[in-house]
Amino acid sequence: MAATLILSGPSDLDQSSQSDQSASSRSNNRSLRVAEKERKKNEAEDPFVLALKYFSDVEAGTPVHGNDDVERNLVLVEKVAYSKGLTPEAVSIMLEFAMSLRMGTTLCARVLKCLIPATVVPQEAVVRAVVWLGVGKIPVGTQILFIKWVLTVFDMIDAKDQLRAVYGFIFNFVTEENLCPYICHLLYLLTRKESVRVFRVRKLLELQSKLGRQPFLLSLLSLYKVFCPELVTLSIPSRVKSGFRNHNMPWKSALIAVQKRNGAQVASSISLASTMKTNPRKRKHCHLVLPVLSSVVSKRAQTEPSSSRKLVPLVQVHSFAQLLENMHRIELPAQMGSLLGSSLALQYLDCVQDESALLRFNFWLGYALHEEFLFRGDGGASQNSEEALQFLNTLLSTQHFLQEGFSCSEAFLFKFLNVWDGSLLRPQILGLLSSIPVVPSSQIGRLLFEPLMQLFFTSSLFFKCGLMDCLNNMLLKWLTWHSVYALEDDLDISLNSHTSINMTLSGFKDSVMELVDFVGRLASLGLRLEGCHSLLLSFILDFYETVCDTFLKYGLPLVVMPPPGVFYPALLATDPVSVDRLAYIMYRYKVNLTSAKSQERLTEQAFHISRQTFREFNHYTVVMVNCLWNSKMFQPDMGIQLGEELLLKSNVPQYGKSFDLIHHPAFMSYAVDFHQRCLPGRQDMDLNSLKHSKLWSWYQEYLFSQGYDGLKQFVQSNICRQLTASDSLPT
Amino acid sequence: MERLHNSVKSKSKSYRMSHRSSFGAAASRLGLTPALAGRRLNTSRRAPKSHNITEKVSPEQLALLTKTEWQLSYVTPLYRFGHTQLKSYAGQLSAFIAAGKQHGLAVEVFDPQTAFRVSFSLVQGMTESDDDAETVLIQIHSKPLFAGQDEPQRTVWSGLLTCVNGNPEYLRSLPEYFICLPLFGSSGAEGLTTLVKSWFQQSFDCCFGPLEISHTSLQWLMALWTDCHTESSIQCLKMIWTLPAVPPLKVTYTVNPEDAWELWSSVRKKRGGEEEDCIDIEEVTSFMRGLMSHFYRHFKLDLSAGSLNQVSTALGSAKSSGRIKISNRRYMVTTLALLTECALLKMPI
């Protein structure tokens, strides 16, 4: 009855959004009527509300078979139950519907199974259902199911006083043999001193003589004996097998899922903790559970009795303003792992740089990662990958928030890369990998490159692209770190702090160099393996866009040119975008190199870029200009050489021209298009005519107008006005 | 000049700060980065000299240590654990257990008489080097629920936190306030183990993980025990193997002590002087090979295809699942040193 009253009453079904809506409009003191109307409208439209209304109003004896309404509505309720859990009112309605057997016994069990409370279970509903237990003709199996449900959600029942009031009524069910174990458990949870009566003790003893020394009877009796030793004279073995089994099987996983999803809203999450605590065996893998943010037990007071400062536990800090106010007297939580979930705490941690706090955090995080991904022999990582996924995402967002990686995740990754199959949680693992701090060049090969190389060559194109992206991000982070913390004019920073790391600028340069070289090797081979796939090429060019700007953007005096295995596939690519990006990269190289050169001239002690680098750059520039502009492909001094007779054999006329901007496979279509627009009257297509000076410059303008800015910048910086190629950059 | 110097200093300080936090404090103190150090199990160790542990450790405690079979775990370093606070820890832990046991039950009056009494005690004399922290023994006593008034409380659970001959580099790298007792052994109801572990987790911000005894460690134990045979008889050397057949084949392989000793002596290398009591991993593996080829000759079964699950002698027994019993107190230290090493290998950083 209570349930239906609530449904029609003004305290709307707490579909939280609706209640928020109506509450806010009320407080705003806007037209109450409008709000009410809107609420009614919403309510009327919400199919879930309609479904509940159906179940509260449906008449007894409505047939089930062939009844589409009931099926549709029940599916709806089930969906909500398993995703968000049911509101207290919904639990009341559905429980009342099931136990009253208004539509027979078949639906009863099904409804019971989906009774997943979102927050609490109203006591009245349970009491009413218990009453139905006495009245209706519910099959024994379903009765047991109901009691099991009560036991499962026991801690979520909002009060117990009325249930205790019907203790005697519940007690009567012990005589039913099948129900007895469960009823005993329920009674055990409800028993107070005043519930222990002589006749009940006698009844239990009588049952015991009939059923034997059952653990459930013994447990209940032992509790009676604790309360009233004078009533229970029976000697109970000192080690009664502790209590009752858990009967939460049908609901456990759904409950956990719902509570997790609802997160902090559920105040009474204790219930889960208790159900989980009672069977530690089932919950073997719990290392990914974040510890609860809690303050330190008073023991600190004993160790530092003289501390006069009053400390504020982090758990009591709820806003950033509060954090600022109490910055000087924050007390860290008992378990540092709890910080992972709280951005406020992370802000604090980031700011204080407390060494032991960080170490505690790292111990916990490292432990969790190792246990989850390395030490578990059962390949369980795939079992609860949902949990692992969430954990890693939290970790990633934390690292993102702090803008640096944790040392333990680095240590973990170096081990994990050796056993990783390259597909398990790929985005997360690559994400973690991209934020590892600079690895000393002496170790980088063994720790990073060897396992990555193996993964790279044995994985799909998709993985190769992902890894390229990851390495690009890694390089970006290293360079950013450098540009923030290093001094431009202090070339060899020795970090002689208390740490044993001695990262000098040259050490850092070596590491970056190693990384760039490694990616160069991977990229060259990868492009060959994948037939110069343009997606892979695009990721590789991303990387070189970072590399070509190390000096100007990040202040790192280091310029590394791409290997021929990257340069030529990009130059001869069939898509114009790649060629354009290569041109842009070459342009940036030039800007970086000239600026480095001029700086070297200005400040005597500046760094030294090897002549080899300049030579490589010049060579590439000459090749590019010769190939795209001068129609002089396959010159003897180029990187690619083909035998004269082989070229003749190919029957390509004027093979030297075959990769200029007109005949290049990436730009041919533009040339044709341009030809048609510019010389509309011409019947025969003569692309070579575009090479004439006027048309050639128009054609270039046309290409630039298509958005090929890279080409434009390359041309402007490398080719003189007279439209003849300047040979190269002076060294 | 002065100004320049200052600016350099402040900048490089922030450079360092970032580095420290990015590598993590621990990392910076543990050599370059933790993983870089690539820790492995020692390939050589001293033969178990019968330590005069009996003189250093009290006989009651030794008796307790030898009579129990321990389920092993590794523990990350304890933060702000104080060996002088044991008494107050005992009080806190018993309150914690009482609270944990009460949870969810309707027992509202809780009789302190029937509750759990916890004791923490120091096992002095177990340490091998100055870096080792003193071993701590935890016992939980309880009186049966319906026992008579005069019935004494019994020990229902015991636990051991120890560090014997831990890697000094690692131990010294830990900052102040961190006490490293990496090896945890427990014996008793699993529920209590869980409660004790979670109390430690909450009080000292540490983590517990299961410690299996690896194949190699089991072989080491076999060799170390066999090596003692002349001093104290091993009775027999027993191994339990599982072979991957369908259904799995369980092989119990028992070796006569004299035969085992003879085989062991034959694989021992000749050494001179001080190195005499050193044992190398090569000796251990050739001992193992000898045992396996003997088995193959008789049964045409190659044990190397299977896995070694359990080894036992009169001096002790060990299971791959991480259960160990050290029956002879004289070789306790050697065994615990090996296990401490295994536990330290499991440390995340």
Side-chain angles (χ1 to χ4, degrees), chain A residues 288-307:
Chain A
L288 291 190
V289 179
L290 303 190
V292 183
L293 189 64
S294 63
S295 51
V296 185
V297 201
S298 58
K299 69 165 192 256
R300 203 60 52 80
Q302 293 156 353
T303 49
E304 293 163 20
S306 60
S307 75

Side-chain angles (χ1 to χ4, degrees), chain B residues 41-45 216 219-220 269 271 279-287:
Chain B
L41 202 66
N42 278 345
T43 53
S44 160
R45 57 187 75 236
T216 319
Q219 293 184 5
W220 264 112
K269 290 180 200 156
R271 286 188 185 79
I279 299 177
D280 282 344
I281 184 76
E282 289 89 38
E283 291 163 293
V284 177
T285 42
S286 47
F287 178 55

